[in-house]
Amino acid sequence: MSKPLLLCVMGPTASGKTDLAITLAEAINCELISVDSALVYRGLDIGSAKPDYPHHLIDILDPVRAYSAADFAADANRLIDDISARGKTPLLVGGTMLYFKALLEGLADMPAANPAIRAQIEAEAQAKGWPHLHAELAKVDPASAERIHPNHSQRLGRALEVYRASGIPISQWQSDVPEGLPQERFRVVQVAICPQPRSILHRRIAVRFEQMMAAGLLEEVKSLFEREDLHADLPAMRSVGYRQLWQHLAGECSLEAAVERAEAATRQLAKR
């Protein structure tokens, strides 16, 4: 109990975790740190349900840039130390579980992102498909291939990128956990929420996406689609909702189909 408190509020999209975090922040003098892979990007406002309550790590990057779990862990560690030093309680809130895992369990000091190798991997994926690259990963890193779904392009691309940059499988890098985890400095309390039964969450997801569309989500995605420096394989554009509406604007499906796909993808994300 001598250590300062670090709160973590996690849960699936549309579960109410942001409202809970804001209530806690106002009750016990917290500052909020967003744990969300879409909220870091400027211009992804409606589809990410960007809150208007102050959070750290919101609107920090242009969507043309990548932001990794390692980037988040470094930024979050710096912020929680700063917030605590000012006499407040850091409260991490979000649903990107890989970010929570990177912060609380640590990541090895593996190679930094390599844009040239990543571009080569994405070009191969466009030509041959991600399942083909998954098979390539299985040859050099079967442990990672077993954990990563053939269509999980972001994790698959990163695993291949690390191997091609270093010659060492990412699974081997990940086995070396660094020191300096938050648990060494803070009393970490984790709270996870999820509405039950699941049908309640599914209804919330459907209602929220309807509200996003009414608020102008399609127009928001169109403004991103019209930028010459953005494309469908960027991490920002693979965010749920944005990816499906991008497919519609590219002529790959109807608007109705895109909305159905977005809601289904959100339900799958919530389940994971």
Side-chain angles (χ1 to χ4, degrees):
M1 296 295 290
S2 63
K3 294 180 180 179
L5 179 64
L6 171 62
L7 281 171
C8 301
V9 175
M10 56 192 71
T13 185
S15 63
K17 58 185 176 294
T18 301
D19 290 340
L20 173 59
I22 291 172
T23 301
L24 288 170
E26 295 179 342
I28 57 175
N29 195 26
C30 298
E31 286 189 24
L32 303 186
I33 301 173
S34 171
V35 189
D36 189 293
S37 60
L39 292 181
V40 298
Y41 293 110
R42 294 186 289 271
L44 276 67
D45 301 327
I46 298 172
S48 67
K50 195 165 285 181
D52 54 13
Y53 192 90
H55 287 61
H56 296 280
L57 300 186
I58 287 182
D59 286 339
I60 62 172
L61 289 177
D62 186 88
V64 76
R65 296 181 59 188
Y67 189 73
S68 68
D71 292 329
F72 169 81
D75 288 341
N77 264 309
R78 171 181 52 80
L79 285 165
I80 62 178
D81 285 338
D82 177 65
I83 292 167
S84 183
R86 290 188 278 105
K88 295 187 175 183
T89 298
L91 193 162
L92 294 130
V93 54
T96 301
M97 301 307 295
L98 180 61
Y99 284 8
F100 274 117
K101 182 178 177 66
L103 176 67
L104 298 175
E105 299 180 17
L107 291 172
D109 189 20
M110 65 182 67
N114 187 311
I117 294 177
R118 177 53 64 94
Q120 180 186 48
I121 291 169
E122 290 177 353
E124 290 178 28
Q126 289 182 348
K128 300 179 180 178
W130 286 106
H132 171 81
L133 290 180
H134 186 269
E136 292 296 309
L137 178 64
K139 296 176 183 177
V140 297
D141 189 357
S144 293
E146 186 175 354
R147 293 195 304 265
I148 300 173
H149 190 279
N151 290 325
H152 200 311
S153 56
Q154 188 166 359
R155 292 183 63 196
L156 180 54
R158 177 57 178 161
L160 282 169
E161 177 188 344
V162 167
Y163 179 77
R164 292 182 181 182
S166 67
I168 300 173
I170 194 171
S171 57
Q172 184 174 332
W173 283 103
Q174 291 169 339
S175 65
D176 298 325
V177 179
E179 298 179 352
L181 297 179
Q183 293 90 323
E184 299 174 13
R185 312 188 306 281
F186 292 88
R187 177 166 53 95
V188 179
V189 175
Q190 301 179 60
V191 178
I193 60 174
C194 184
Q196 296 294 334
R198 191 176 296 171
S199 58
I200 295 175
L201 183 61
H202 288 178
R203 179 57 186 160
R204 287 187 180 184
I205 288 170
V207 168
R208 191 169 75 161
F209 200 79
E210 290 170 5
Q211 293 171 340
M212 289 176 175
M213 291 297 292
L217 177 57
L218 182 60
E219 289 72 23
E220 180 175 272
V221 179
K222 185 177 180 181
S223 68
L224 297 167
F225 184 82
E226 291 174 345
R227 283 182 49 172
E228 295 183 357
D229 58 340
L230 300 181
H231 56 83
D233 288 324
L234 288 169
M237 297 301 100
R238 291 201 295 265
S239 299
V240 172
Y242 292 90
R243 179 172 68 249
Q244 291 78 17
L245 291 179
W246 187 287
Q247 291 169 346
H248 162 66
L249 293 170
E252 298 174 16
C253 64
S254 67
L255 180 58
E256 181 180 8
V259 170
E260 290 177 357
R261 291 178 184 179
E263 291 183 4
T266 306
R267 291 193 298 270
Q268 292 167 1
L269 178 64
K271 183 178 180 180
R272 290 199 301 272

